[in-house]
Amino acid sequence: MKYAEVILPLPLENTYTYRIPSDIETEVVRGSRVIVHFGKKRFYTGIVINVSEREPEVGCDIKEIYSLLDATPILRRPQLRFWEWISTYYLCKLGEVYKAAIPSGLKLESETVVSLNPDFVAETQLKPAEASVLDAFGNDKELTISVLEKRTGLRNVVPVISSLVEKGAVDLSEELRKGFSPKTEVYIRLAESWESEEELQEAFAALKHAKNQERLLLAYLDLSHALTPERRTEVSRKELLERSGCKITSLSGLLRRGILESYAKEVSRLQIHVCKPQELSPLSDAQEKAYRQILDVYKQKDICLLYGVTSSGKTEIYIHLIRDILEQGRQVLYLLPEIAITTQITERLARLFGDKLLVYHSRFSDNERVEIWNRLLKENGPCVVLGVRSSIFLPFRDLGLIIVDEEHEINYKQQEPAPRYNARNAALVLANMHGGKALLGSATPSIDSYFNALTGKYGLVELTVRYNEGLLPEIQTVNVSELRRKKQMKDTLFSPLLVEQMRKALAAGEQIILFQNRRGFAPMMECRACGWVPRCAHCDVSLTYHKHLHHLTCHYCGYTIRLPEVCPSCHGTDFRMMGFGTEKVEEEIAKLFPNTRVERLDFDSAKTRKAYERILHDFERGRTQILIGTQMVSKGLDFGNVSVVGILNADSLMNIPDFRAHERAYQLMVQVSGRAGRRDKRGLVILQTSQPEHPLIQMVQRFSYKEMVDWQLSERSMFHYPPYYRLIVLVLRSRNEQLLQNLSRDHAERLRKQLGERVLGPVTPPITYMQTLFIRKIILKLEITAAIAPIRSLLEQVEQEMKLNPAFRQIILHYDVDPL
């Protein structure tokens, strides 16, 4: 008898052992998907990580695997090893890694089905919530719990259903929720009895008085080449109707006559690039030199950092490296931090690599992601995958190269839920597991990566000139405090210099980018009479005003209220807006330039993939003259006609209570500045600040990246911050603030006994509670050489000690390794 060790998509540390039925013993292998019972009535899709003949030493009956889902494993050998590394390094459960790694369409789960008892008669009066649940069925006899929650509006419908089960009003059962389903499309073919020329002549004779059907049949023969067997192709119903210009009624007539037949065919949801690949562009002298230097680095090291100024042509170097790897028959992963950037780079790579290109990110439907997963499992040829951070979990066969573009970006770090991994760092480990190379690229590398390059851990290649020797943009600072004091910026967001330069650019047919790293209309509202500020009911933050929706929203939990007409504190009606976001910028630009087309690129305006693509496509084609955006506009986008960039509030970037604030502010300002003058003309950047003499502003003006790094490294060395030390943050949350304070203090003291001064806290973060939970943090500052395994053991030991206190059940604890 054989037994399988199985991972479940749940936040569980342990694996679970199941007995393998004799009829599938030979088919269940490491990486297989199986359906298993877990708990009383629940079904889950488990992943087999080990098969053994040794009976486990447990005191209870071992459940049997319910069914095997696939004839072949859905994971490749290195993937499970990679999952285990993620789980160990980022201090999370293996089940959490599984849940994040696999597309939902490959994770079948049971969902409780509630069915009405037709014979039920209420002996006592039902509670309002119980009556609401029964009324929600309407004409349906069965509904899932999730549907009942939507129909009743009850936040937790389970206790109500339990009460109804006890009364005999409803019954419960389990059914497997449907996962991935292939996409099918209707195709049309000629019936066998009408395939010869003579028979077709008879068909046309019969259609003499049905001109539309005759035209449709001619269109089919033209599209399908049905009379030329060697050229014959399949024709979909959709294509036939579009190309013929006929209606579905004409097709129905031909189907009834038996001349044409319809059939269903499984088709791909993926956008297959069928164009003939173009030749690669030749590299400039500077690019060629950098390309050769990278190849030389790879003879000695596995990781190389490419530090190239904005518009230096780093992408062209990536493309030549991709070609080299594909020619070796291996695979490439090209990581980008933001979905927005994939829109522009996809077209470029598709022209060069055709159907060898696959794109993978969260804006794709779940079925599309499953198709990409399955394609990588089935095909063994070379390919390049372009994707965001979740792409590191795909089933690669043989990764020869991982490119992490804009490697400094914080979007590579997963925040919620676990695993809280950094895709940049994890990609380096993944490349090593495949025996491949890794390339990190940025115009403003993270200080951590640059430090690793300086100390010899990574190779370093620098590209210091723009493509075609273009000039870096000129950055002019504007002292907004002085202008406001002189009343030259009264009731406006734009300095006179910025307005003048925008007018010149528009008159010359050039484009403008305005950068403000806050969305909404105003970050805060205040009653002028009493100072009341509307705040989130669930988080310790003020609500942001969104004018186009006329409501106030929390950007942390999504809580939304209508804009109050009167102040609930003093009943006044005079509110003022504090600060400004992209909506306010858009409104003021519309007043200044009423005949100019303006677009906004932020989370609110670009929630869907189509919206992203439309906004960027319109700006790239020159249909939009002014683009207003948050940090989305700073991420490696290439626009050839932008001559002016306005940074509207540099101070808000620098004044953040975080040791990385100055590094990030420098990166954002330099990156967005790099969007200006990217061809044969020098661009202009107007940087509005109240601190023009601030050292960081001066460094941005001079593009003095290395000076900024030296400045920051000296501070971080002094105060024990990365890259000299590793940070691990314990985040503790509870609804009971006093209990949280007491237990977090106890937790910190237990750690301090083992780690001494390396333990800081507990500290109260700037946002003291979020989503109705109070927050405390314990910070560990560990030597960079310290191994993570002993630290994990210590943290687990202390956590188990804390769990001996029953009150600790009210605490939610998670670990954040290498927080950003």
Side-chain angles (χ1 to χ4, degrees):
M1 185 168 291
K2 288 187 177 182
Y3 300 89
E5 201 176 334
V6 173
I7 313 171
L8 298 172
L10 299 168
L12 303 169
E13 187 62 54
N14 299 325
T15 56
Y16 293 84
T17 302
Y18 289 84
R19 188 169 66 251
I20 303 175
S22 56
D23 57 329
I24 57 171
E25 266 191 0
T26 57
E27 299 169 61
V28 175
V29 295
R30 182 176 164 92
S32 295
R33 275 195 314 160
V34 291
I35 297 292
V36 295
H37 292 276
F38 188 77
K40 291 183 179 179
K41 294 184 177 180
R42 301 292 291 179
F43 289 97
Y44 288 97
T45 301
I47 301 286
V48 176
I49 65 166
N50 194 30
V51 176
S52 169
E53 293 185 1
R54 183 184 299 175
E55 186 173 352
E57 299 174 5
V58 291
C60 58
D61 290 337
I62 300 172
K63 293 180 181 178
E64 191 172 75
I65 288 174
Y66 182 73
S67 68
L68 176 68
L69 281 173
D70 306 288
T72 56
I74 68 154
L75 298 183
R76 294 189 184 273
R77 187 174 297 275
Q79 280 179 283
L80 285 172
R81 195 154 57 96
F82 183 55
W83 287 11
E84 288 161 357
W85 177 84
I86 293 265
S87 170
T88 300
Y89 185 82
Y90 289 104
L91 305 176
C92 61
K93 309 294 190 287
L94 196 56
E96 291 173 320
V97 182
Y98 164 26
K99 191 166 185 178
I102 301 286
S104 298
L106 294 175
K107 295 193 294 273
L108 290 169
E109 292 180 20
S110 63
E111 197 168 272
T112 303
V113 175
V114 185
S115 53
L116 278 174
N117 180 357
D119 302 323
F120 171 70
V121 178
E123 297 178 359
T124 58
Q125 187 173 356
L126 295 174
K127 295 176 182 177
E130 293 172 338
S132 175
V133 167
L134 294 181
D135 291 342
F137 279 90
N139 296 323
D140 297 310
K141 295 179 180 178
E142 293 182 343
L143 291 175
T144 62
I145 284 181
S146 58
V147 171
L148 281 171
E149 284 180 343
K150 289 179 183 176
R151 288 191 181 182
T152 61
L154 297 171
R155 292 190 68 180
N156 188 1
V157 78
V158 173
V160 183
I161 292 171
S162 298
S163 173
L164 289 170
V165 169
E166 289 177 10
K167 293 178 178 178
V170 297
D171 296 312
L172 302 182
S173 61
E174 294 289 320
E175 68 175 23
L176 285 175
R177 188 179 65 203
K178 193 174 182 182
F180 169 71
S181 56
K183 180 181 179 181
T184 58
E185 207 169 285
V186 176
Y187 275 69
I188 303 298
R189 64 189 170 205
L190 201 59
E192 280 187 31
S193 55
W194 299 89
E195 285 188 341
S196 69
E197 288 191 36
E198 294 79 9
E199 291 159 343
L200 277 173
Q201 286 176 359
E202 290 180 28
F204 279 112
L207 299 173
K208 193 174 289 184
H209 301 293
K211 295 299 180 184
N212 285 336
Q213 292 182 28
E214 183 183 49
R215 191 165 87 247
L216 188 68
L217 182 57
L218 281 169
Y220 169 78
L221 294 173
D222 183 50
L223 286 169
S224 66
H225 305 290
L227 301 178
T228 315
E230 63 273 11
R231 295 180 60 201
R232 188 174 296 169
T233 57
E234 293 182 289
V235 178
S236 70
R237 179 177 65 187
K238 181 181 177 182
E239 182 186 14
L240 177 58
L241 293 175
E242 284 178 356
R243 295 285 290 273
S244 67
C246 297
K247 295 183 179 179
I248 189 72
T249 51
S250 301
L251 178 59
S252 299
L254 287 172
L255 294 172
R256 280 196 302 271
R257 290 174 187 268
I259 299 172
L260 295 180
E261 296 176 342
S262 65
Y263 63 99
K265 179 186 175 184
E266 186 176 324
V267 296
S268 174
R269 294 178 173 86
L270 306 182
Q271 197 173 19
I272 304 298
H273 308 283
V274 294
C275 57
K276 184 179 178 182
Q278 298 175 1
E279 292 295 319
L280 273 61
S281 302
L283 297 175
S284 68
D285 292 343
Q287 289 172 328
E288 182 69 29
K289 181 181 177 183
Y291 167 70
R292 295 294 170 194
Q293 287 176 334
I294 292 169
L295 297 180
D296 289 340
V297 165
Y298 286 151
K299 294 175 183 176
Q300 307 290 329
K301 303 178 189 296
D302 292 332
I303 304 168
C304 180
L305 172 65
L306 175 59
Y307 164 37
V309 298
T310 55
S311 197
S312 57
K314 295 184 290 296
T315 305
E316 204 60 49
I317 296 173
Y318 302 157
I319 286 168
H320 279 70
L321 292 168
I322 291 169
R323 176 204 57 190
D324 295 345
I325 298 300
L326 295 181
E327 286 177 352
Q328 295 170 25
R330 305 185 74 184
Q331 296 169 316
V332 178
L333 173 59
Y334 189 148
L335 283 176
L336 291 166
E338 185 77 56
I339 295 168
I341 313 177
T342 64
T343 302
Q344 201 171 55
I345 196 68
T346 297
E347 295 178 6
R348 189 168 174 184
L349 294 182
R351 289 195 297 268
L352 297 168
F353 302 112
D355 59 3
K356 291 180 182 176
L357 174 67
L358 293 174
V359 182
Y360 187 87
H361 55 63
S362 58
R363 291 287 167 90
F364 279 5
S365 70
D366 196 64
N367 282 327
E368 286 175 311
R369 280 180 276 164
V370 171
E371 282 200 23
I372 292 169
W373 187 285
N374 289 337
R375 182 173 166 185
L376 283 170
L377 276 177
K378 293 171 185 174
E379 295 183 10
N380 291 320
C383 68
V384 53
V385 175
L386 177 70
V388 292
R389 62 174 178 257
S390 57
S391 306
I392 62 173
F393 294 114
L394 286 167
F396 295 103
R397 172 185 56 85
D398 182 19
L399 270 175
L401 176 67
I402 299 181
I403 296 167
V404 185
D405 197 13
E406 308 293 344
E407 65 85 31
H408 64 280
E409 279 286 347
I410 62 173
N411 285 343
Y412 282 122
K413 172 73 170 176
Q414 165 73 10
Q415 303 293 348
E416 292 290 344
R420 296 170 180 84
Y421 64 97
N422 187 316
R424 177 195 66 199
N425 299 344
L428 306 183
V429 174
L430 181 63
N432 180 263
M433 287 182 174
H434 280 267
K437 306 295 183 183
L439 179 65
L440 309 178
S442 177
T444 54
S446 66
I447 289 178
D448 295 27
S449 295
Y450 193 69
F451 179 80
N452 285 332
L454 291 178
T455 54
K457 187 175 179 180
Y458 304 165
L460 176 62
V461 174
E462 297 187 13
L463 190 56
T464 57
V465 296
R466 283 187 147 194
Y467 185 68
N468 282 341
E469 302 195 1
L471 296 173
L472 287 168
E474 177 190 359
I475 300 180
Q476 295 184 18
T477 58
V478 174
N479 189 335
V480 292
S481 291
E482 186 68 13
L483 290 172
R484 288 192 178 112
R485 187 182 67 80
K486 293 177 179 178
K487 295 185 171 46
Q488 294 178 7
M489 269 188 77
K490 187 180 179 182
D491 300 326
T492 181
L493 307 177
F494 310 115
S495 61
L497 176 62
L498 179 54
V499 173
E500 178 191 353
Q501 294 301 327
M502 285 195 289
R503 290 192 192 283
K504 286 182 180 178
L506 292 173
E510 296 165 345
Q511 292 172 297
I512 299 158
I513 290 177
L514 297 177
F515 171 66
Q516 169 60 8
N517 205 28
R518 282 186 183 274
R519 58 191 175 100
F521 191 84
M524 191 170 79
M525 283 185 60
E526 181 184 70
C527 173
R528 286 183 186 272
C530 70
W532 174 81
V533 173
R535 304 187 70 82
C536 178
H538 312 301
C539 307
D540 182 25
V541 295
S542 59
L543 296 174
T544 298
Y545 176 48
H546 289 257
K547 189 171 183 178
H548 71 291
L549 296 172
H550 201 59
H551 66 205
L552 297 160
T553 298
C554 173
H555 287 171
Y556 288 88
C557 71
Y559 172 76
T560 298
I561 60 171
R562 297 290 296 174
L563 182 71
E565 293 182 5
V566 297
C567 171
S569 177
C570 71
H571 305 292
T573 57
D574 190 7
F575 295 98
R576 65 175 173 180
M577 309 295 172
M578 311 284 284
F580 63 96
T582 50
E583 278 185 31
K584 191 171 183 180
V585 177
E586 184 180 29
E587 182 180 272
E588 190 163 329
I589 283 291
K591 292 176 183 175
L592 277 171
F593 306 104
N595 300 318
T596 301
R597 182 167 173 189
V598 181
E599 282 279 13
R600 185 162 46 86
L601 182 65
D602 58 24
F603 182 78
D604 299 311
S605 65
K607 288 183 178 179
T608 65
R609 184 175 65 179
K610 285 185 177 179
Y612 268 119
E613 291 172 356
R614 181 192 60 78
I615 293 168
L616 292 177
H617 189 268
D618 285 354
F619 192 68
E620 191 175 11
R621 296 291 184 274
R623 295 173 193 153
T624 305
Q625 285 77 49
I626 301 177
L627 182 65
I628 301 162
T630 57
Q631 58 184 324
M632 287 183 182
V633 301
S634 71
K635 301 174 189 295
L637 298 169
D638 184 9
F639 302 116
N641 195 36
V642 174
S643 62
V644 174
V645 166
I647 298 174
L648 303 183
N649 189 0
D651 303 323
S652 66
L653 302 174
M654 300 189 293
N655 301 331
I656 298 171
D658 186 277
F659 76 94
R660 286 194 174 94
H662 284 160
E663 175 190 0
R664 287 189 187 140
Y666 178 91
Q667 289 166 340
L668 269 173
M669 286 189 273
V670 169
Q671 287 284 346
V672 77
S673 297
R675 304 313 115 207
R678 296 176 64 85
R679 293 288 188 267
D680 55 352
K681 182 180 177 182
R682 190 180 191 191
L684 176 65
V685 179
I686 309 298
L687 193 156
Q688 298 187 167
T689 175
S690 58
Q691 308 171 72
E693 302 304 320
H694 193 287
L696 188 70
I697 298 294
Q698 298 288 311
M699 292 171 195
V700 170
Q701 267 194 289
R702 300 192 299 268
F703 291 93
S704 300
Y705 170 77
K706 294 178 182 178
E707 185 182 350
M708 184 275 294
V709 170
D710 291 340
W711 176 40
Q712 290 297 296
L713 284 177
S714 63
E715 287 189 0
R716 296 188 190 183
S717 174
M718 190 185 310
F719 296 107
H720 293 184
Y721 280 112
Y724 300 100
Y725 281 73
R726 171 179 288 122
L727 296 184
I728 299 177
V729 178
L730 285 72
V731 182
L732 298 95
R733 294 172 290 168
S734 176
R735 297 187 193 280
N736 187 326
E737 185 177 18
Q738 189 57 54
L739 178 71
L740 175 66
Q741 182 64 26
N742 295 338
L743 290 179
S744 61
R745 192 182 294 121
D746 184 15
H747 204 125
E749 286 304 319
R750 290 172 186 268
L751 289 170
R752 205 169 275 118
K753 287 178 183 177
Q754 301 288 331
L755 297 172
E757 294 181 356
R758 298 178 184 86
V759 181
L760 302 179
V763 297
T764 303
I767 299 176
T768 57
Y769 67 93
M770 193 182 300
Q771 297 178 11
T772 71
L773 295 170
F774 292 94
I775 306 168
R776 294 293 182 275
K777 293 184 178 182
I778 301 169
I779 301 168
L780 307 186
K781 288 185 176 181
L782 306 169
E783 292 82 354
I784 203 69
T785 53
I788 201 79
I791 298 299
R792 180 183 179 121
S793 298
L794 172 62
L795 291 172
E796 288 174 345
Q797 175 193 327
V798 172
E799 186 178 345
Q800 292 306 315
E801 290 173 6
M802 292 297 298
K803 285 180 178 178
L804 296 175
N805 182 347
F808 198 75
R809 293 174 186 169
Q810 298 180 49
I811 301 292
I812 300 169
L813 169 66
H814 77 252
Y815 303 96
D816 192 1
V817 180
D818 301 334
L820 289 179

